[in-house]
Amino acid sequence: MLNPPQRAARKIKNLLPITTIWWREIIRFYRQRSRLFSAIAQPLVFWLLIGSGLSASFQPAGAADGPDYIEYFYPGIVVLVLLFTSIFATISVVNDRREGFLQAVLVAPVPRWRIVFAQALGGTTLALLQGLLLLIFTPMIGIRFGVTSLLLSLGVMTLLAFGLTNLGLLIAWRMDSTQGFHAIMNLLLIPIWLLSGAFFPSTGVPGWLAWAMKFNPLTYGLAAFRHSLYLDTTAKAFGEGPPWNLSLLITGLFCVLTYVGAILTASAQTN
Amino acid sequence: MADTKVSHTITTDSRLSTVSNSRIEVENLSHAYQRRQTLDNISFDVSCGEIFGLLGPNGSGKTTLFRILSTLMPATSGTVRILGHDLATEVKAIRNLLGVVFQHPALDVKLTVVENLRHHGHLYGLAGRTLRSRISELLECFGVSDRSTERVERLSGGLQRRVEIAKALLHSPRVLLLDEPTSGLDVATRRQLNNYLGMLAQTEDILVLLTTHLLDDAEACNRVGILDVGKLVAIGAPNELKNQVGGDVILIESRDNETLGTAITERFGVSIVSTDNQLRVECKRGHEFVRNVVAAFPDVIQSVRFGKPTLQDVFVKLTGNPFVERKDRKN
C-alpha cells in the first residue's frame, strides 16, 4: 500500500504528461498567430456576407415570425469556428507523429488514452477560446444572456469542441499525409456542418436530406446550442428541431464515442 | 574518490551476476509487412557499456528493427528482451529505460530549447528542482546553455541534433537508441558526436545502439551488425570483420569488364566480384597483383584502385551486392 504522500506523488506523475501535452498545444497556437486569424476570420466573413446577402431574399422555412437569416445563421457560424479550430488543432498530429515531437511522446511511458485526452483537451481549449470571442456578437442579434443560458451555452460549446476535436484526432491518427486530411475535411466534415441545420432548417427539405440531417450527430449539437443560447431570450421559431433533452444526450454520446474512437485509433496505429 | 571506486566495483559485480539485466537480447526476430519480409530471423546481443551499430544501406531493414526496439511496432515473430524485460509484454517498463533519438527531429521548433526539455521531462514524471538541475546539467554538457531560451527553429542543424540527444538522455535512460544520428551533420560534428557516444557508453555504462548507412559511423562502434535486405549477414568488431576480407582490395575499371574479368581469373586464378561497373578482387600482397595485372592488360584497364578493406568491402564480400539502396526493398 502507498502512503498518502506517495499517492499524491504518483497522481502528479500521472497528471504531468497530460498537462504538458495540453500546454504545448496552447503555446504552439499562441506562437502561430496566423492560425488564430484564419480560424476565426473565415467563418466571420461567411457569416457577414452570406448572412446579409440571404437576409434580403430568404426567410428560413417554418420560421413564420421571422428571425433574419443573419440571426438564423449565427449559431451555425459559432459551431463552424469550433469545427475549424478543432480540426486545425488536430491536423498537426499527421506530421508530428512521423517526423516531429509526437514521436518522442509515443516512446515515453505514457498510456495512449492520456495522450489522446491531452490532445483533445488542447483542441477543446483553443476552440472554446475562439468560440468565446464570437459570443461578443450576441447582443447585435438580440440574444441576451442570463447566468443559466451563458453557462449552458459554454457547456454545450465545450462538449461540441471536445467531440469535434476527437473526431479530428480519430481521422488524423489514421492519415499518412495532410492532403488526405484535407480531402476528408472537404468530403466529410464540411457536409456534416452544412447538414446540421446550421445553413438551413430541416423543415421542408426533400425527404432524403431530412433523413441525412436526422442521422447527423451535429444536428443535435447545433440544436442543443440553439436551445441554450435562447434560454433567456424570447424564443423565436426556427422550424422543428430535435427536442432539447435528446439533443443534449446525443451530443454527450457523440463526445464519448469520438473519444473512444480516437483512443482506439491511436493505439492501433502505434503499439 | 575512494567512494566512487567502491560503487564502481559493486556495479561491475552486479552486472556479472545478472547478465541479462544489462543486455539487449534479440532472438529469431522476423517481421513481415504486407506479405513482404522486412526482417528475416535476426539474432544478436548487445551489452551495457557497448556501442553497437546496425550498418546497412537504405532499405535493408534498419528502420524496421529500430522501430521494433523502440516499442513503436510489434514484431511478427521472435523475442526481444531489453535489460531483462520482454518487449512483447513489458512495454511500460522498457519505455522507462529507453532514450530514443529519431532520424527526423522530434523537437518542437516553435518551443525554446528549455521548453522542449521541460516537456520531455514531464512525460517521464520529472518536475521541479530535479528537472531544472538535470536540464541545466545536460545543456552545459552539450554546450547549448547560451542558446537555451531561443526557439529551436533558430538553431543550426548541428545544434538541434545536440539538443535532441540531450533530450533523449534527460531521464537518465540505461539504453540509448539512435536512428541515423549523424544524418545531416558535417564531418566535424559527426566525429564529435561519435566520440561523445563512446564516452557516454563507457562512463555512464549505457547501452548505445545506433543505425547508420555511413561507414565512418560504423567504424566508431565497438561492434557492428551488417544488415542486407532484412538479414543480419555479419556481426563483430569492425577490425574483426575487415580481417575476414582476404588481405587487400583492388578495384578495376575497364571498357569491357566481363571479358577482362574472365581473362584475369584465367591468368591469375583469383576470384572476382563484378559490381556496378567495377571488378573487385581480394588478395594478399595486393601491390604485386596490381603491378602484374596492369602489365598484363595495359590497354584494357582504365583505372585501378588499391586499398585496405573497409566495412563496405565486408558488405560486398558477404552479399555480393554493392552497398547502395535497394529500391525494391525500401521500408
Side-chain angles (χ1 to χ4, degrees):
Chain A
M1 280 301 281
L2 298 173
N3 59 33
Q6 277 176 323
R7 236 176 299 169
R10 173 172 288 188
K11 206 174 257 177
I12 289 172
K13 203 179 159 173
N14 288 340
L15 271 178
L16 263 177
I18 296 181
T19 49
T20 209
I21 295 170
W22 170 76
W23 185 236
R24 172 181 170 249
E25 297 285 337
I26 311 293
I27 290 195
R28 274 178 70 82
F29 186 79
Y30 176 72
R31 290 187 184 161
Q32 297 169 285
R33 253 158 282 188
S34 60
R35 266 173 74 187
L36 189 127
F37 184 73
S38 66
I40 208 160
Q42 201 177 354
L44 212 56
V45 169
F46 270 14
W47 180 47
L48 292 174
L49 291 186
I50 299 179
S52 314
L54 291 184
S55 274
S57 39
F58 290 95
Q59 184 79 197
D65 62 338
D68 280 344
Y69 189 76
I70 200 160
E71 187 180 346
Y72 175 82
F73 199 22
Y74 174 77
I77 284 300
V78 176
V79 171
L80 185 64
V81 169
L82 297 180
L83 178 70
F84 274 6
T85 319
S86 315
I87 296 307
F88 287 135
T90 55
I91 204 164
S92 63
V93 169
V94 179
N95 286 329
D96 217 26
R97 75 162 205 276
R98 289 183 312 140
E99 329 196 319
F101 189 81
L102 255 186
Q103 301 174 97
V105 177
L106 290 175
V107 297
V110 183
R112 298 294 176 255
W113 70 265
R114 281 202 190 115
I115 299 176
V116 171
F117 184 67
Q119 289 176 325
L121 221 53
T124 305
T125 311
L126 297 173
L128 205 57
L129 286 175
Q130 303 211 48
L132 269 178
L133 274 180
L134 229 73
L135 288 189
I136 299 171
F137 295 96
T138 45
M140 267 175 58
I141 55 167
I143 295 173
R144 272 183 302 277
F145 280 123
V147 180
T148 340
S149 63
L150 182 65
L151 288 181
L152 215 55
S153 301
L154 291 181
V156 173
M157 280 166 75
T158 311
L159 282 180
L160 274 171
F162 189 75
L164 291 172
T165 311
N166 276 311
L167 183 64
L169 287 172
L170 200 160
I171 300 166
W173 273 95
R174 233 175 251 277
M175 289 286 143
D176 282 336
S177 69
T178 45
Q179 287 98 314
F181 195 102
H182 281 293
I184 295 265
M185 184 163 152
N186 289 330
L187 283 172
L188 184 78
L189 299 175
I190 298 296
I192 282 183
W193 174 76
L194 279 175
L195 297 182
S196 66
F199 214 53
F200 48 80
S202 63
T203 324
V205 297
W208 63 273
L209 209 55
W211 276 102
M213 290 172 82
K214 199 168 266 183
F215 281 104
N216 179 359
L218 204 56
T219 302
Y220 301 89
L222 194 81
F225 185 51
R226 260 190 222 284
H227 279 296
S228 55
L229 270 183
Y230 282 93
L231 210 64
D232 289 334
T233 313
T234 325
K236 283 178 181 169
F238 288 109
E240 281 171 45
W244 161 239
N245 42 11
L246 179 70
S247 303
L248 210 56
L249 180 76
I250 292 189
T251 308
L253 217 60
F254 175 68
C255 281
V256 175
L257 289 180
T258 46
Y259 177 49
V260 172
I263 296 173
L264 291 178
T265 315
S267 311
Q269 293 297 318
T270 50
N271 187 10
Chain B
M1 216 35 212
D3 284 351
T4 335
K5 250 183 194 161
V6 171
S7 75
H8 183 76
T9 327
I10 289 169
T11 337
T12 320
D13 282 345
S14 63
R15 262 172 70 195
L16 287 174
S17 59
T18 51
V19 175
S20 77
N21 289 344
S22 60
R23 297 169 75 78
I24 287 185
E25 296 156 316
V26 177
E27 255 174 74
N28 309 112
L29 187 72
S30 290
H31 190 72
Y33 179 69
Q34 291 176 347
R35 283 189 289 165
R36 208 185 59 196
Q37 197 79 6
T38 47
L39 290 177
D40 190 0
N41 207 19
I42 283 176
S43 302
F44 64 90
D45 280 11
V46 190
S47 304
C48 280
E50 189 178 25
I51 303 188
F52 184 80
L54 283 164
L55 174 71
N58 289 331
S60 57
K62 287 179 312 220
T63 302
T64 307
L65 185 50
F66 175 82
R67 289 180 65 80
I68 291 172
L69 293 178
S70 57
T71 73
L72 283 175
M73 197 167 82
T76 320
S77 68
T79 57
V80 177
R81 297 184 71 79
I82 296 182
L83 310 193
H85 299 282
D86 189 337
L87 187 60
T89 55
E90 296 169 89
V91 174
K92 195 177 177 198
I94 289 177
R95 284 188 175 142
N96 272 309
L97 299 168
L98 293 184
V100 184
V101 177
F102 295 92
Q103 183 175 1
H104 298 288
L107 297 169
D108 190 328
V109 294
K110 293 285 170 202
L111 302 185
T112 67
V113 172
V114 168
E115 283 169 341
N116 264 291
L117 294 178
R118 198 186 300 140
H119 279 295
H120 187 82
H122 288 166
L123 292 176
Y124 286 83
L126 298 173
R129 200 180 303 151
T130 329
L131 179 58
R132 277 199 297 277
S133 69
R134 183 75 184 139
I135 288 176
S136 56
E137 184 187 320
L138 278 164
L139 291 181
E140 192 72 40
C141 169
F142 281 85
V144 276
S145 296
D146 52 333
R147 310 290 296 272
S148 63
T149 53
E150 275 184 61
R151 284 197 205 167
V152 169
E153 60 192 348
R154 303 217 180 99
L155 264 53
S156 69
L159 281 180
Q160 288 190 7
R161 266 281 127 167
R162 288 199 222 171
V163 177
E164 190 92 45
I165 296 170
K167 184 175 109 153
L169 291 170
L170 189 69
H171 54 285
S172 316
R174 297 276 327 274
V175 174
L176 186 61
L177 302 176
L178 309 98
D179 193 13
E180 301 277 355
T182 58
S183 72
L185 297 184
D186 57 72
V187 180
T189 320
R190 196 188 298 164
R191 195 162 300 152
Q192 210 178 355
L193 176 62
N194 285 330
N195 289 340
Y196 180 77
L197 290 177
M199 200 185 72
L200 197 69
Q202 283 194 339
T203 56
E204 309 271 322
D205 196 33
I206 288 180
L207 188 161
V208 179
L209 189 148
L210 57 88
T211 73
T212 183
H213 68 281
L214 296 170
L215 302 162
D216 289 354
D217 290 354
E219 294 273 358
C221 296
N222 301 119
R223 280 192 311 140
V224 177
I226 299 182
L227 270 175
D228 179 47
V229 282
K231 284 201 169 78
L232 198 59
V233 291
I235 188 164
N239 280 332
E240 229 171 83
L241 292 176
K242 285 185 283 189
N243 287 340
Q244 289 181 8
V245 180
D248 302 319
V249 175
I250 294 109
L251 298 171
I252 304 167
E253 277 179 11
S254 73
R255 269 182 227 105
D256 183 2
N257 282 342
E258 214 169 301
T259 324
L260 180 65
T262 331
I264 292 176
T265 316
E266 271 173 22
R267 177 128 177 205
F268 296 100
V270 289
S271 70
I272 284 182
V273 183
S274 178
T275 62
D276 290 338
N277 41 13
Q278 288 178 329
L279 295 174
R280 214 173 142 279
V281 181
E282 286 163 19
C283 61
K284 300 246 156 48
R285 307 187 65 77
H287 57 286
E288 288 173 6
F289 174 76
V290 171
R291 194 184 59 209
N292 296 339
V293 85
V294 175
F297 307 100
D299 300 326
V300 196
I301 292 176
Q302 285 180 312
S303 80
V304 174
R305 272 187 17 229
F306 167 83
K308 296 290 169 196
T310 62
L311 286 172
Q312 185 169 6
D313 295 312
V314 179
F315 183 88
V316 174
K317 181 187 166 85
L318 291 172
T319 66
N321 295 321
F323 190 81
V324 289
E325 179 174 341
R326 298 276 293 253
K327 289 262 167 20
D328 54 327
R329 295 290 178 141
K330 194 167 170 58
N331 41 15

